[in-house]
Amino acid sequence: MKVVVLGAGIVGVTTAYFLGKDGHDVTVIDREPQSARECSYANGGQLSYSHAEPWSNPAMLKKAITWLGKDDAPLLFRFRADYQMWKWALKYVFNSTAAKAQKHLEIILALDLYSRQMMHQIVADTKIEFDYIQQGIIHTFRNPKNLDAEIEIAKIQADLGAPYEKWTVEECVAREPALAHMAKEMCGGAFFPFDESGDVCAFAQNLIAYCQENYGTKILYETIIENMIVNKGSISSIRTNKGEITADAYVVSIGSYSSLLLRKVGIDVPIYPLKGYSISVPVEDEGKTPRLSITNQCERLVYSRLGNVLRVAGTAEMAGYDDSVNAVRVNMLKKAVNDHFPGCGDVEKATEWACLRPSTPDGPPIIGKTKYDNLYLNTGQGSLGWTQCAGSGRIAADIIEGREPEMDISGLIIDRYRC
Ligand SMILES: Cc1cc2nc3c(=O)[nH]c(=O)nc-3n(C[C@H](O)[C@H](O)[C@H](O)COP(=O)(O)OP(=O)(O)OC[C@H]3O[C@@H](n4cnc5c(N)ncnc54)[C@H](O)[C@@H]3O)c2cc1C
């Protein structure tokens, strides 16, 4: 079957991989000159399979309200006259009850753990390189109340298959000596041994090259998708700035822009961009730079070691489709590096990046069929697109192939928003 994948971010590329492996004739379309040049370019690098609590939860909602209007808040809501943003925000509030957060955690964790399994399979099959580190992720805490709250969530996750360890400050420093400077303000940590890290951009670019070489996958770069042409309940072609492209089936994986395109053909998906930032600091002193991936739960920042670079990422901002770099927010990241890992590298030499997480208001992504019989979705992975790409790609390929997915997907399909 001829399948067109719309979008060459990490989600589109892994979808193309599984479709190619199934023997389909795959073409990927993207407006950029290379794969993974937008949200999948310089993210936090964490394969955080054990980080399943959705952002729509009672505690986060409470914090988000107290942070309103603060330019340096980890989660910033910029008031705008944007109907889609308000619609998304209302759905976010509606989904932030304890019961809904628990249900969504279970759905997210199931996809995360399946993604871990699929990631290991991809790595074993392709042998691609991407500064992959399989040593777990440590979450650090300053406030004992927050550590206890995290442990409560970790216990629930452990019952569902994702183990954890509670560490004292001394244990944290013994396992990651670069935490020595930060230790004086820490109260302990939670360690998640299943978690991993790696360079999302290198993975996507090496995987698409593997697909081209091994499965004959075609890629149309610098091609802007303008619309989808509907004919009697099906998509007959994709209209681009370079002409029309036809296939038997189409998968939408254009990240935050998925909702804009789908709206043109009468499909309403609640995906809205949540802007985030990263800096990539060249490592100058190995001893002062963490090797273990870290989530600083106090500042809500993540640190990953990618070769000779320390990637620091985080913050979320509802600012529409503006992906420009805001100095206040980037400076928060630079300050955090200087405060916690002084001497690891010169933050003024860091490259800066901002991008838009394709976020759903409940947390899980949207994968599966649509009202058009040959149009499929694999999008909305939000803050976990790197973590979930392998499981999401495999599920999308299963559905297109007409094969029963290996996990329950009722919490991932678009119809969940109808109830
Ligand atoms: C600061 C930050 C840190 C993050 N850290 C992590 C992390 O540590 N771990 C994790 O799991 N996730 C993380 N994420 C989330 C993760 O990066 C995203 O979920 C993921 O990259 C989304 O991938 P995607 O393929 O859906 O979207 P994208 O990577 O944005 O890909 C979409 C593609 O569609 C193309 N496109 C869009 N519109 C059109 C059009 N009209 N025509 C043609 N092409 C089009 C774009 O060029 C792009 O290549 C982070 C995100 C941010 C912002």
Side-chain angles (χ1 to χ4, degrees):
M1 182 161 54
K2 185 171 178 197
V3 188
V4 164
V5 178
L6 283 68
I10 190 61
V11 174
V13 167
T14 41
T15 306
Y17 166 77
F18 282 109
L19 287 167
K21 201 174 173 198
D22 277 343
H24 296 295
D25 171 7
V26 182
T27 301
V28 184
I29 312 176
D30 201 287
R31 62 185 170 196
E32 298 286 345
Q34 284 176 312
S35 303
R37 295 300 297 187
E38 297 203 0
C39 197
S40 308
Y41 180 59
N43 73 10
Q46 289 191 332
L47 291 157
S48 43
Y49 309 112
S50 319
H51 190 72
E53 189 184 26
W55 286 12
S56 44
N57 69 66
M60 181 61 101
L61 177 63
K62 228 163 104 186
K63 280 186 198 149
I65 293 168
T66 63
W67 286 332
L68 279 178
K70 290 187 188 156
D71 222 27
D72 60 351
L75 175 61
L76 177 64
F77 186 83
R78 289 194 191 277
F79 290 98
R80 300 153 47 87
D82 176 347
Y83 171 68
Q84 294 303 332
M85 185 185 83
W86 286 102
K87 202 166 127 186
W88 189 97
L90 276 178
K91 286 195 169 122
Y92 169 83
V93 172
F94 173 76
N95 279 290
S96 294
T97 63
K100 288 202 166 77
Q102 165 77 23
K103 178 178 147 203
H104 297 142
L105 178 148
E106 289 173 20
I107 296 166
I108 293 168
L109 189 65
L111 178 60
D112 287 358
L113 294 177
Y114 184 58
S115 294
R116 180 173 183 267
Q117 205 184 315
M118 290 301 110
M119 175 59 76
H120 292 177
Q121 206 179 88
I122 297 176
V123 173
D125 288 351
T126 65
K127 315 269 184 302
I128 58 173
E129 292 191 357
F130 55 103
D131 289 317
Y132 192 27
I133 299 181
Q134 296 177 277
Q135 292 181 359
I137 294 180
I138 177 168
H139 292 209
T140 61
F141 291 84
R142 198 183 285 170
N143 181 334
K145 255 172 61 186
N146 294 342
L147 173 57
D148 290 346
E150 170 103 350
I151 295 298
E152 287 312 306
I153 301 277
K155 281 181 187 158
I156 297 171
Q157 295 188 162
D159 289 340
L160 297 167
Y164 77 97
E165 293 164 25
K166 188 177 176 185
W167 284 358
T168 61
V169 177
E170 292 70 30
E171 284 169 323
C172 293
V173 178
R175 290 291 287 272
E176 178 43 77
L179 281 171
H181 190 82
M182 202 169 125
K184 56 184 179 301
E185 61 186 45
M186 280 169 58
C187 68
F191 177 67
F192 297 93
F194 270 20
D195 291 358
E196 307 171 336
S197 61
D199 185 339
V200 61
C201 179
F203 179 90
Q205 294 186 351
N206 290 337
L207 189 62
I208 203 71
Y210 180 93
C211 294
Q212 287 174 290
E213 207 174 310
N214 292 277
Y215 306 137
T217 302
K218 294 174 261 318
I219 313 211
L220 305 174
Y221 287 127
E222 298 178 310
T223 303
I224 301 168
I225 299 154
E226 294 170 345
N227 208 342
M228 294 184 282
I229 310 302
V230 176
N231 184 16
K232 295 187 195 137
S234 298
I235 300 299
S236 58
S237 64
I238 302 296
R239 200 179 73 212
T240 76
N241 63 331
K242 295 187 177 167
E244 288 197 10
I245 295 158
T246 56
D248 303 306
Y250 305 87
V251 194
V252 176
S253 295
I254 55 171
S256 290
Y257 301 85
S258 301
S259 42
L260 304 183
L261 178 69
L262 289 162
R263 213 170 292 139
K264 291 183 181 175
V265 293
I267 298 176
D268 186 18
V269 290
I271 292 175
Y272 195 82
L274 268 190
K275 189 174 180 180
Y277 293 84
S278 77
I279 55 172
S280 301
V281 187
V283 173
E284 287 174 5
D285 188 331
E286 283 286 334
K288 294 178 177 164
T289 313
R291 168 126 184 107
L292 203 60
S293 185
I294 295 170
T295 298
N296 180 330
Q297 285 287 14
C298 180
E299 289 165 332
R300 303 197 76 82
L301 296 182
V302 306
Y303 297 81
S304 289
R305 185 64 187 275
L306 305 171
N308 60 357
V309 156
L310 178 67
R311 174 75 47 77
V312 189
T315 87
E317 187 179 340
M318 286 198 92
Y321 285 84
D322 168 17
D323 62 359
S324 60
V325 173
N326 171 328
V328 175
R329 305 203 56 89
V330 162
N331 287 341
M332 285 163 60
L333 305 187
K334 291 183 178 175
K335 181 174 179 319
V337 174
N338 285 337
D339 286 352
H340 302 316
F341 304 105
C344 75
D346 182 354
V347 294
E348 295 316 319
K349 291 184 188 154
T351 50
E352 304 170 356
W353 177 79
C355 215
L356 309 173
R357 299 175 183 89
S359 304
T360 62
D362 49 349
I366 305 172
I367 310 176
K369 297 178 179 176
T370 66
K371 64 181 180 180
Y372 300 109
D373 59 19
N374 61 349
L375 181 67
Y376 302 87
L377 307 178
N378 186 7
T379 185
Q381 278 78 3
S383 60
L384 290 173
W386 175 213
T387 304
Q388 297 175 340
C389 66
S392 302
R394 172 61 198 266
I395 291 169
D398 283 344
I399 295 168
I400 293 166
E401 180 67 17
R403 212 170 31 222
E404 190 66 28
E406 291 175 318
M407 61 168 274
D408 173 15
I409 59 159
S410 55
L412 305 175
I413 58 177
I414 189 172
D415 283 355
R416 71 182 191 262
Y417 295 110
R418 299 234 168 87
C419 34

